[in-house]
C-alpha cells in the first residue's frame, strides 16, 4: 500500500525509506503472513488491532518489535493499532536498546530511574509516546483480551504455550543480540537486529489494504 505524507521524525523517516524488504526470504515471509492476515482481518471488520510482542525478559527483542510496529502503523497511516510488549518475567529494558532506537531517530526520555527504568519513546511530534519498561505479559499495562500474542523469542515461544486472552498466537522469533553484550560487536549487532525487525514490520504493514 502507499503511504501518506509521513508525520514521523525526519531521522526515523530516513531510516524507513532506506529499508529493503526485498532482503526478506520467502521462508521468512511465510512466517510473517499470519500477522498480515490478523491485521487485515481486524481492518476488514473495523476492529481495533492489538499487537502484544512477547519475549522472556521483555528487555530487547519484544521492545524493538513493539516500537517499530507502532511506528510502521503510523508510517502507513493504519488507524487503531495499539502495540504492547511483555515477558514471561520482568527485568529491565536494556540500555543498548534505548541507544539503538535513539540512533534511529527516536526521542527517548527517562521518566523514572529505578532498577526497571520507565522511558517515554516518541517517534512523532504529535503521537502519544510509547511507554517503555519491562513487564510481565499479563501486567495491567497490557490488554487482557482481543489481542494477538507475537512470540519474539524461541524460549518464550516454547516455554509459554498458552497466552491467556490471546485471540491468536504467532511465533516470529529473532536471534538475541544479548549474545554480543560487552563485545566490540555489541552496537553493530543491536543495530542489525533492530533493522531486521523494522524491515520485517515494514513488509507486514505494507501488505495491508486499509
Amino acid at each position: 500500500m502507499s503511504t501518506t505524507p509521513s508525520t514521523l521524525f525526519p531521522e526515523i523517516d530516513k531510516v524507513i525509506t532506506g529499508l529493503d524488504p526485498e532482503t526478506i526470504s520467502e521462508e521468512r515471509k511465510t512466517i510473517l503472513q499470519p500477522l498480515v492476515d490478523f491485521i487485515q482481518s481486524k481492518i476488514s471488520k473495523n476492529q481495533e488491532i492489538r499487537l502484544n510482542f512477547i519475549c522472556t525478559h521483555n528487555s530487547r527483542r519484544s521492545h524493538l518489535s513493539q516500537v517499530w510496529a507502532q511506528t510502521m502503523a503510523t508510517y502507513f497511516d493504519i488507524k487503531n493499532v495499539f502495540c504492547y510488549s511483555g515477558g514471561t518475567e520482568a527485568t529491565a529494558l536494556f540500555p543498548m536498546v534505548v541507544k539503538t532506537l535513539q540512533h534511529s531517530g527516536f526521542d527517548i526520555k527517562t521518566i523514572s530511574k529505578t532498577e526497571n527504568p520507565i522511558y517515554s519513546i516518541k517517534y512523532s511530534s504529535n503521537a502519544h509516546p510509547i511507554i517503555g519498561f519491562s513487564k510481565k505479559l499479563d501486567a495491567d499495562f497490557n490488554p487482557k483480551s482481543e489481542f494477538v500474542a507475537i512470540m519474539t523469542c524461541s524460549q518464550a515461544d516454547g516455554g509459554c504455550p498458552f497466552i491467556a486472552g490471546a485471540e491468536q498466537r504467532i511465533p516470529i522469533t529473532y536471534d538475541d543480540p544479548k549474545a554480543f553484550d560487552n563485545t566490540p560487536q555489541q552496537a553493530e549487532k543491536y543495530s542489525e537486529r533492530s533493522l531486521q525487525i523494522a524491515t520485517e514490520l515494514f513488509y507486514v504493514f505494507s501488505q495491508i489494504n486499509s
Side-chain angles (χ1 to χ4, degrees), residues 128-162:
H128 194 282
I130 297 163
I131 305 302
F133 66 100
S134 184
K135 71 202 82 66
K136 291 187 71 172
L137 59 93
D138 59 354
D140 287 342
F141 212 76
N142 286 342
K144 301 301 181 187
S145 63
E146 299 178 343
F147 67 91
V148 59
I150 303 152
M151 315 303 289
T152 61
C153 76
S154 55
Q155 186 177 351
D157 186 35
C160 202
F162 175 73

Side-chain angles (χ1 to χ4, degrees), residues 13 26 43 46 48 71 77 104 110 114 121-122 134 142 173 176:
D13 200 55
E26 290 304 316
I43 287 176
N46 198 29
E48 292 183 342
T71 303
D77 196 30
S104 289
T110 305
T114 62
I121 305 170
K122 293 204 75 172
S134 184
N142 286 342
T173 62
D176 195 351

Side-chain angles (χ1 to χ4, degrees), residues 18 56 63 72 81-82 87 94 97 107 130 143 152 177:
T56 304
H63 272 105
M72 293 303 173
V81 177
F82 303 95
F94 193 64
V97 171
D107 181 15
I130 297 163
T152 61

Side-chain angles (χ1 to χ4, degrees), residues 24-204:
I24 303 172
S25 68
E26 290 304 316
E27 178 185 6
R28 196 68 185 167
K29 287 178 181 178
T30 300
I31 291 170
L32 297 170
Q33 190 59 45
L35 181 55
V36 175
D37 295 340
F38 178 86
I39 296 170
Q40 191 65 66
S41 70
K42 288 292 183 180
I43 287 176
S44 65
K45 298 171 187 173
N46 198 29
Q47 295 177 341
E48 292 183 342
I49 302 154
R50 298 182 185 88
L51 312 179
N52 195 358
F53 295 91
I54 296 168
C55 202
T56 304
H57 299 116
N58 190 211
S59 58
R60 293 171 176 82
R61 291 163 286 178
S62 50
H63 272 105
L64 289 170
S65 300
Q66 175 191 6
V67 170
W68 278 118
Q70 196 71 64
T71 303
M72 293 303 173
T74 298
Y75 183 79
F76 285 101
D77 196 30
I78 299 173
K79 308 296 186 186
N80 297 317
V81 177
F82 303 95
C83 298
Y84 307 86
S85 66
T88 54
E89 58 184 277
T91 54
L93 175 52
F94 193 64
M96 194 65 209
V97 171
V98 174
K99 291 180 181 178
T100 301
L101 290 170
Q102 286 175 323
H103 186 71
S104 289
F106 291 87
D107 181 15
I108 303 180
K109 299 287 191 300
T110 305
I111 299 174
S112 174
K113 293 183 178 180
T114 62
E115 289 185 5
N116 184 5
I118 302 173
Y119 299 93
S120 162
I121 305 170
K122 293 204 75 172
Y123 52 90
S124 172
S125 296
N126 293 331
H128 194 282
I130 297 163
I131 305 302
F133 66 100
S134 184
K135 71 202 82 66
K136 291 187 71 172
L137 59 93
D138 59 354
D140 287 342
F141 212 76
N142 286 342
K144 301 301 181 187
S145 63
E146 299 178 343
F147 67 91
V148 59
I150 303 152
M151 315 303 289
T152 61
C153 76
S154 55
Q155 186 177 351
D157 186 35
C160 202
F162 175 73
I163 307 293
E167 292 183 6
Q168 193 173 340
R169 184 177 178 281
I170 302 173
I172 303 177
T173 62
Y174 296 97
D175 292 338
D176 195 351
K178 180 182 180 180
F180 296 92
D181 286 357
N182 302 312
T183 73
Q185 295 84 30
Q186 184 182 38
E188 174 192 350
K189 292 299 181 179
Y190 272 78
S191 176
E192 183 180 288
R193 190 63 58 243
S194 178
L195 291 175
Q196 179 197 4
I197 290 169
T199 301
E200 293 193 349
L201 289 169
F202 177 97
Y203 170 79
V204 166

